[in-house]
Amino acid sequence: MTSRKSTRAKGQSRRIGIRDVAEATGLSITTVSHALRGKGQIAPATRDRVRRAAEELGYRPDPIARGLVSGRTGILGLVVGHMSDRPWASTYRPYYAAFSAGATMTAVERDYALVVVPGDPVSGLWARVPMDGLIIVDPVQEDPLLADCARRGMPVVTDGRPIDPGYDGVPTVESDLEHGMAEILRHLRESGAARIGLLSGPEPDAYTQDCERLYRQWCAETGQAPLVESPTASEEPVEAALRLLSAPGRPDAVHGLNETYGQALVVAARRWGLAIPDDLMISVMRESDQSAGATDWDVSLTALSLDARRLGAECVTTLIDVLDGKEPNNVVVPCTVVVRGSTRRG
């Protein structure tokens, strides 16, 4: 096999095809094709042998030929549910950037292209892009894009569960907020907080709704009155943070649903003359523990860290499984509490 590979490298520039892999392994073209595509009843040892041979020969699938055989375009779409909302750019952009990076890398590794498409269902522009399936990030309430996909029969995977009934069959990828919210609230309480507040958001998506539901559930279980504020779609987050910190019985710790809200809490605390963390502890959601926002403030913020890159990768993997006719599983990705200076008292 080594000499065959060397000969090809020196004397030939043509694309290595399935026939070459079949010749090298002594297997039929059908067996090799199924092994490389993960189909058919093929022994694991045979599948591994085919893949090793393909790698040594430098085999890469021909996207045009694959498309002719399968009827696919080799393109996956990605759209954000509320990308056009005003708060989106300043609040959740880091999350979506990390998510897109993970999704893009996985798509390329699986021989697909990932295209970000416009999410305006009224214009129908997204449907002009030839694609095999669509990933919808944070589907909103009464999401018209989900409805449009259902009408067109477009395979869909969502990052975050659809809020509306009727979409139970749509595969989802979600962060483990049930565990994550309990952990961050427990950390704040064990760090000395007596009254923990939540700086929520106006976005009509499952992440926002679930975080607020889990917070209120925790309040009911611990006997604390809920302390919740949200910026409206027309105001800056710092205005909501100022309201929260000026309320009677103000909180001595607040969890913000994104980094922008955490920064707003820092600004509001300083306007009221509150020391962090002695007077006010702050925690935030962060798209990963490696994000730049971890060090760009003089107060390092404790975070509930979501693995946005993995979420993006899992969405692509799940969508390809759907396209390959496999039974998809709803995926739950763990999140981690990362303790920093904003909650370290004493």
Side-chain angles (χ1 to χ4, degrees):
M1 189 181 299
T2 303
S3 61
R4 179 190 295 269
K5 181 180 178 182
S6 301
T7 300
R8 292 192 192 285
K10 291 177 181 177
Q12 298 182 19
S13 59
R14 69 175 179 85
R15 177 186 290 272
I16 300 298
I18 286 181
R19 185 181 299 277
D20 299 298
V21 181
E23 290 176 2
T25 57
L27 298 169
S28 70
I29 292 176
T30 299
T31 299
V32 169
S33 176
H34 285 176
L36 291 173
R37 297 173 62 193
K39 292 190 172 184
Q41 300 297 319
I42 299 174
T46 302
R47 198 182 302 277
D48 290 342
R49 180 157 64 97
V50 169
R51 288 175 175 170
R52 284 198 303 271
E55 183 176 351
E56 291 181 18
L57 289 170
Y59 167 79
R60 293 292 181 272
D62 183 341
I64 297 176
R66 183 181 65 181
L68 291 173
V69 173
S70 65
R72 298 186 192 172
T73 65
I75 298 173
L76 306 178
L78 173 65
V79 66
V80 177
H82 50 75
M83 188 173 180
S84 61
D85 290 353
R86 180 178 177 273
W88 179 86
S90 61
T91 54
Y92 291 105
R93 186 183 295 276
Y95 173 86
Y96 297 126
F99 181 97
S100 298
T104 300
M105 288 297 295
T106 303
V108 171
E109 289 169 359
R110 298 289 298 272
D111 298 311
Y112 279 85
L114 188 74
V115 178
V116 177
V117 297
D120 177 15
V122 177
S123 67
L125 289 175
W126 73 270
R128 298 184 185 180
V129 179
M131 66 183 80
D132 300 319
L134 186 65
I135 297 168
I136 300 178
V137 183
D138 287 335
V140 297
Q141 200 161 22
E142 299 181 356
D143 196 308
L145 189 58
L146 263 175
D148 201 13
C149 287
R151 284 194 298 270
R152 297 173 186 268
M154 173 67 69
V156 171
V157 169
T158 62
D159 170 47
R161 60 177 175 79
I163 297 173
D164 300 314
Y167 296 105
D168 294 341
V170 174
T172 63
V173 177
E174 300 181 78
S175 293
D176 188 0
L177 294 176
E178 192 89 23
H179 178 264
M181 285 295 291
E183 285 297 302
I184 194 66
L185 293 170
R186 181 183 300 114
H187 165 70
L188 293 172
R189 175 58 58 86
E190 291 178 351
S191 298
R195 298 173 306 282
I196 301 172
L198 181 72
L199 188 57
S200 188
E203 291 81 8
D205 56 39
Y207 167 73
T208 303
Q209 292 188 12
D210 286 349
C211 285
E212 188 164 334
R213 173 182 58 81
L214 292 166
Y215 166 77
R216 291 183 183 277
Q217 177 181 309
W218 179 87
C219 287
E221 293 170 354
T222 58
Q224 180 198 293
L227 298 165
V228 183
E229 273 291 349
S230 301
T232 67
S234 61
E235 71 177 351
E236 297 298 324
V238 69
E239 300 301 322
L242 287 167
R243 287 197 302 273
L244 184 59
L245 298 185
S246 63
R250 71 161 181 84
D252 55 0
V254 179
H255 179 65
L257 293 196
N258 55 62
E259 290 188 64
T260 301
Y261 290 5
Q263 294 168 358
L265 285 163
V266 171
V267 171
R270 287 174 174 167
R271 288 190 188 177
W272 289 118
L274 302 175
I276 303 170
D278 295 337
D279 299 322
L280 179 70
M281 290 188 286
I282 298 172
S283 64
V284 298
M285 182 281 284
R286 178 164 286 134
E287 70 275 6
S288 76
D289 189 33
Q290 287 75 42
S291 64
T295 57
D296 62 4
W297 278 73
D298 58 331
V299 178
S300 57
L301 300 180
T302 289
L304 177 58
S305 180
L306 311 183
D307 194 343
R309 280 180 175 266
R310 180 177 168 185
L311 288 162
E314 293 285 2
C315 278
V316 167
T317 299
T318 302
L319 182 54
I320 293 175
D321 284 347
V322 171
L323 296 174
D324 286 344
K326 299 178 182 177
E327 188 67 30
N329 295 315
N330 291 335
V331 180
V332 178
V333 176
C335 41
T336 308
V337 174
V338 182
V339 179
R340 296 193 175 91
S342 64
T343 61
R344 289 185 178 132
R345 285 180 174 172

